Amino acid sequence: MPTEYEVLIELAQNLPGGEVSPVAPFLSLVVNLNVSMVGHRDRLDKDLCLVLPLGDFIGGALVMFEQCLVLELRSSDFTLFCSAETTHFNLRYEGRRASFVCHTDKNFDKWQETRNGWASNDYFN
């Protein structure tokens, strides 16, 4: 997925002050602790989303509804998918389970184009 990577890393390289995202090429990290999610789409996510479950658990498969997929991810397995276009959720599980979810918000496109209206400010040049 080199094209998707390039799009995301370009946004990550344009953070204020030359900062680097610790989850590059993504700009955001969500940590879910011991939760089962209901079916949803993350309509504000840009392109790809990475899900990484961690812990000592049984079950908790990631379901992607439109694709008719049930992914039995084990601790430290990961998957990439388009979370804005895919209804997804995880099934019940036993044990202790966390998941790291890395994504980039679509609104960062505005930041890249106009710096949210601050493009002419000396501090961003």
Side-chain angles (χ1 to χ4, degrees), residues 52-114:
L52 169 73
L54 298 169
D56 184 17
F57 60 89
I58 298 171
L62 176 64
V63 177
M64 296 181 196
F65 183 76
E66 289 81 7
Q67 294 83 356
C68 298
L69 288 175
V70 179
L71 302 177
E72 295 284 353
L73 301 175
R74 297 167 296 182
S75 184
S76 74
D77 288 345
F78 70 91
T79 188
L80 288 165
F81 65 100
C82 187
S83 55
E85 297 174 6
T86 301
T87 304
H88 57 284
F89 57 96
N90 67 293
L91 299 176
R92 293 186 179 268
Y93 63 92
E94 293 180 17
R96 293 181 295 176
R97 184 179 187 277
S99 61
F100 287 8
V101 181
C102 300
H103 66 95
T104 297
D105 194 290
K106 285 180 182 176
N107 285 320
F108 275 99
D109 288 341
K110 292 179 187 174
W111 172 258
Q112 186 173 15
E113 295 167 11
T114 67

Side-chain angles (χ1 to χ4, degrees), residues 4 7-9 11-12 15 21-32 40-52 79-84 88 99-108:
E4 292 85 351
V7 168
L8 292 172
I9 199 68
L11 289 173
L15 292 175
S21 170
V23 291
F26 302 99
L27 294 176
S28 301
L29 170 67
V30 175
V31 179
N32 295 311
H40 66 283
R41 290 185 184 190
D42 299 301
R43 61 182 179 83
L44 296 179
D45 282 2
K46 179 176 180 61
D47 299 328
L48 298 175
C49 167
L50 181 142
V51 174
L52 169 73
T79 188
L80 288 165
F81 65 100
C82 187
S83 55
H88 57 284
S99 61
F100 287 8
V101 181
C102 300
H103 66 95
T104 297
D105 194 290
K106 285 180 182 176
N107 285 320
F108 275 99

